[in-house]
Amino acid sequence: MQLVVHVPKIDPPTHLAVCEATAAAVVSLLADPRAQPDGEWHERVRRWEDGRIRKVVRRARGAPWRATEQLDQVTVDRRGAQVRAFVPGPVDAVPPELAKLQVAGTDLEEQGEPSPADDDTLCIAATPRARMSTGKAAAQCGHAAQLAWTEIDDARRAAWVAAGLPVSVSLPDRRRWRRLTRTAPVRVVDAGFTEIPPGTTTTVAWFA
């Protein structure tokens, strides 16, 4: 799955807002009627889910950002952070509008604050034990949201969709992180291809 973050020169989004928007974008695509069994995206999404699931976070602004709108995608805006999630496809067949966008180096200076959480909010915590760029952290939050989507029951999934798929991402201290890794039902362990060592627990997730 290709994901593109809109990073304008003036007034860029915060790190946490991008992480929340990315997580919401991933599940928004999975929840989209076009990704359902009778939808036009279903077969491509199913092949991706059945194989090795990867997410690539890119960034864009201006004309390159606008050019991606024509592709099969959903766009999510959370607290000024705009993220597009594109229907997954083979890594050797990325559309040129996406392939030319930069992957590495997406790192935003302002951390920001987590969104408020209520009963239908997916809470995601990112590890304090490893430094992750905004792009890397956003991808890990997307993984956590996807795992939560697949593991919850139909009633919880319907309630989450009805609430607008709210997500709150936080950066806990080490003490709280240790507790969360023992109690949170969703845990993402990274393969270690970029930025961090393999086997690192990057994010955990739970419903408030």
Side-chain angles (χ1 to χ4, degrees):
M1 177 183 281
Q2 303 290 323
L3 296 140
V4 178
V5 180
H6 184 217
V7 185
K9 286 185 178 180
I10 300 174
D11 196 22
T14 67
H15 175 91
L16 289 180
V18 166
C19 289
E20 292 175 357
T22 302
V26 170
V27 289
S28 292
L29 189 144
L30 296 176
D32 193 286
R34 291 166 290 184
Q36 303 313 304
D38 57 349
E40 62 193 85
W41 297 349
H42 175 69
E43 189 59 30
R44 284 181 286 169
V45 173
R46 185 193 61 79
R47 284 199 301 267
W48 175 66
E49 290 180 315
D50 289 346
R52 180 180 160 211
I53 295 175
R54 293 185 60 194
K55 295 179 181 69
V56 177
V57 176
R58 303 173 185 269
R59 70 178 184 271
R61 63 167 64 100
W65 166 257
R66 293 190 294 272
T68 65
E69 187 175 7
Q70 64 183 305
L71 304 174
D72 290 338
Q73 53 85 20
V74 297
T75 303
V76 167
D77 189 331
R78 297 291 168 95
R79 298 191 296 147
Q82 288 184 303
V83 176
R84 286 185 174 140
F86 297 82
V87 176
V91 294
D92 59 354
V94 177
E97 296 91 340
L98 298 177
K100 66 184 180 182
L101 301 179
Q102 189 166 343
V103 177
T106 301
D107 206 7
L108 298 168
E109 293 184 4
E110 187 176 347
Q111 176 178 300
E113 296 292 333
S115 289
D118 59 24
D119 290 346
D120 291 319
T121 300
L122 180 69
C123 298
I124 301 174
T127 179
R129 296 182 176 275
R131 171 73 172 86
M132 294 188 288
S133 68
T134 302
K136 179 70 172 182
Q140 300 305 300
C141 290
H143 292 331
Q146 183 176 358
L147 287 176
W149 175 262
T150 58
E151 292 180 9
I152 57 180
D153 60 32
D154 290 344
R156 168 64 86 176
R157 192 178 296 119
W160 193 19
V161 171
L165 297 169
V167 178
S168 177
V169 176
S170 62
L171 302 173
D173 59 27
R174 288 178 176 247
R175 181 176 180 179
R176 184 163 184 259
W177 175 252
R178 286 193 298 270
R179 180 175 63 80
L180 289 171
T181 56
R182 293 193 299 267
T183 60
V186 172
R187 180 177 178 180
V188 177
V189 179
D190 193 64
F193 294 118
T194 60
E195 294 193 21
I196 57 178
T200 300
T201 298
T202 57
T203 50
V204 296
W206 67 100
F207 278 91

